[in-house]
Amino acid sequence: MGPAPVDAGFIFVRTGLDGSDREVVATADAVIATEFATVLGDREGPLVSTAEHVLAALRGMGVDNATIEVDGAEVPIMDGSAAAFVAAIDQAGIVTQPGVRRFIQVLKPVHVKIGESVGELRPFAGGFRTEVEIDFTNQVIGRQTFSFDLSPEGFRREVARARTFGCMSDVARLWGAGFALGASFDNTVVFDEARLLNAEGLRYADECARHKVLDVIGDLALAGLPLLGSYRSVRGGHKLNNAVLKALLADRSAWRVVESDTARRPLRGHLEAGAGTVGGLVAPAYGPDVS
């Protein structure tokens, strides 16, 4: 990971291809698959899979612009969480740009239902909040809820270390679809119908719900700018997150871009808690009625 120009957002650079490298800007329009992970691509096809964990780390730590080079078809799974990416951001340090931070402010509720999955973005005066409810037929996972108000310190402490999880019954289906080929007990929390199979146990009692929050933060980072709003997800996943985000962006009366009065714009690293958030907002940079 490295810096990117002002207002560039998050740019994935796929290296190791025949010919020149290919770039894709991480936006909702670049999503071409969401069944098992968030896959980004262009007109020529998929470029990078499982983008959500590194995007969650960048957005969670307050980064606005970054270039992410990937030399394979999938972002490395690491330990199944965003912890390694947070550590890389910490190691890189803080780089700032002169400029004003911009945010997408949710102005009215946007609701999407897909089968039993329900997602909604609503206005929220306190920055960005996500509320996740999961309800699995697997009785070991069961029903879990977790609510989180985004800040770099909170992300590091409460969300970043939550790992990908799954059931042994799903493994064959994932492998058959070409996903999770490197999955192991080192990078995935695995359950059978009766128990947790990882010898070291869970990092949080509600680790599954917390990982869903991590995924939400990464998937909604595809808005292109930090969101000011509250997102609630029930039985959600990547498909629902992307659908709600696209529904928001498609309704130009549901959002506007606002600016912060801080002159510091992070390239990598993190902001202090509360810096550049709702308390510092000034007049809209442009409204949804401006083409």
Side-chain angles (χ1 to χ4, degrees):
M1 292 185 289
V6 174
D7 292 331
F10 303 133
I11 304 170
F12 283 87
V13 180
R14 176 71 188 277
T15 65
L17 299 169
D18 293 335
S20 60
D21 298 339
R22 287 164 61 191
E23 294 186 358
V24 59
V25 180
T27 64
D29 289 338
V31 175
I32 62 174
T34 55
E35 187 173 1
F36 300 112
T38 297
V39 182
L40 305 180
D42 57 20
R43 293 180 179 179
E44 298 181 41
L47 280 176
V48 58
S49 175
T50 321
E52 60 271 12
H53 296 172
V54 66
L55 289 174
L58 290 165
R59 179 64 74 222
M61 297 303 291
V63 178
D64 293 327
N65 306 302
T67 300
I68 307 105
E69 292 190 4
V70 183
D71 62 3
E74 186 173 17
V75 175
I77 191 64
M78 312 306 283
D79 71 345
S81 76
F85 301 120
V86 170
I89 293 169
D90 286 341
Q91 184 177 14
I94 297 174
V95 178
T96 62
Q97 298 168 305
V100 177
R101 295 195 80 199
R102 299 190 302 153
F103 302 81
I104 290 176
Q105 182 182 33
V106 178
L107 299 177
K108 69 179 187 180
V110 175
H111 182 92
V112 173
K113 188 175 188 297
I114 304 175
E116 295 185 345
S117 301
V118 178
E120 185 176 48
L121 273 166
R122 301 181 62 89
F124 179 62
F128 178 73
R129 167 178 288 178
T130 181
E131 302 173 6
V132 164
E133 177 182 330
I134 62 174
D135 191 1
F136 281 74
T137 56
N138 181 293
Q139 295 302 305
V140 187
I141 302 173
R143 180 180 178 273
Q144 299 179 19
T145 61
F146 185 67
S147 299
F148 178 67
D149 291 293
L150 183 61
S151 71
E153 292 76 12
F155 181 82
R156 182 198 305 277
R157 182 179 63 252
E158 300 183 35
V159 175
R161 296 179 65 249
R163 295 163 293 176
T164 297
F165 66 96
C167 301
M168 285 297 295
S169 58
D170 295 328
V171 170
R173 184 167 62 96
L174 288 168
W175 286 347
F179 291 93
L181 298 180
S184 72
F185 291 119
D186 294 327
N187 56 37
T188 308
V189 178
V190 184
F191 302 87
D192 66 14
E193 293 305 315
R195 60 194 175 98
L196 170 70
L197 300 180
N198 300 69
E200 75 276 17
L202 295 172
R203 294 177 176 176
Y204 312 92
D206 53 358
E207 186 167 358
C208 297
R210 291 179 189 240
H211 185 80
K212 286 289 188 178
V213 166
L214 190 156
D215 283 343
V216 164
I217 294 168
D219 287 339
L220 297 189
L222 295 165
L225 294 172
L227 286 173
L228 300 177
S230 176
Y231 179 66
R232 175 166 172 75
S233 166
V234 178
R235 299 185 182 90
H238 303 299
K239 182 177 182 179
L240 179 70
N241 298 338
N242 187 249
V244 174
L245 180 57
K246 285 185 173 179
L248 172 74
L249 297 177
D251 185 349
R252 296 299 300 269
S253 68
W255 57 274
R256 65 177 180 176
V257 172
V258 293
E259 294 182 345
S260 152
D261 61 3
T262 178
R264 291 174 57 111
R265 178 189 297 276
L267 274 171
R268 59 189 184 214
H270 66 276
L271 295 176
E272 296 300 320
T277 54
V278 174
L281 294 179
V282 294
Y286 57 86
D289 58 336
V290 178
S291 61

